[in-house]
Amino acid sequence: MATLQPSYKLSIGSPVLPRLAAVGRFDGKNPALACGTTGHRVVIFSPHTHAEDKRVERRFLNINRQLKSIATSKLIPDNPCDVLLVGSPSHVLAYDLEENKDVFLKSVGLVSAWVLANLLHAGSCRME
């Protein structure tokens, strides 16, 4: 009996938490993988970006909050780059990876940050 074999393996160097991964075009052109990892961090794996030593670039973001959801969306008008959305139990963070800055950090109180991040990802609402 034949068994299935993976055609490739991907090692990002950190354990990925279940259901905490999203793909976005943070530079506006090339897809990159964002994954929630242990220690309240997000790793960005960009196979199209290489460091000086020709290895694929990995960037780590310290969120300093418990990770509940990760999504990507085009939140900034007239900007082709995706924004990373990170939901915690009490906040939603929108982060512009290309500019390396927060777009916003909103306390959501009783509303689930996961639901809000997914609504923003789907384009169903805007935050002012």
Side-chain angles (χ1 to χ4, degrees):
M1 176 183 262
T3 60
L4 295 176
Q5 297 293 320
S7 57
Y8 65 92
K9 292 183 180 182
L10 174 65
S11 176
I12 60 172
S14 295
V16 175
L17 299 174
R19 297 177 303 282
L20 290 180
V23 175
R25 295 180 188 275
F26 303 116
D27 64 358
K29 296 177 274 185
N30 300 305
L33 178 64
C35 301
T37 66
T38 57
H40 309 301
R41 297 187 316 164
V42 175
V43 62
I44 309 297
F45 179 78
S46 304
H48 302 284
T49 307
H50 296 278
E52 292 177 8
D53 60 0
K54 304 294 184 199
R55 291 186 303 160
V56 172
E57 182 176 311
R58 288 179 303 160
R59 298 181 352 189
F60 289 90
L61 303 173
N62 289 317
I63 304 299
N64 296 325
R65 298 180 191 282
Q66 181 184 5
L67 303 176
K68 286 292 190 181
S69 67
I70 291 181
T72 63
S73 185
K74 293 188 185 325
L75 291 181
I76 304 170
D78 301 324
N79 186 344
C81 301
D82 285 341
V83 171
L84 178 67
L85 299 167
V86 179
S88 72
S90 61
H91 290 79
V92 172
L93 168 68
Y95 192 79
D96 185 336
L97 288 161
E98 197 64 12
E99 295 292 324
N100 196 28
K101 66 178 185 179
D102 292 353
V103 175
F104 63 80
L105 174 65
K106 295 283 186 179
S107 174
V108 292
L110 298 175
V111 178
S112 169
W114 180 85
V115 171
L116 187 54
N118 283 307
L119 285 173
L120 287 168
H121 172 65
S124 301
C125 68
R126 290 182 58 146
M127 293 194 73
E128 303 273 334

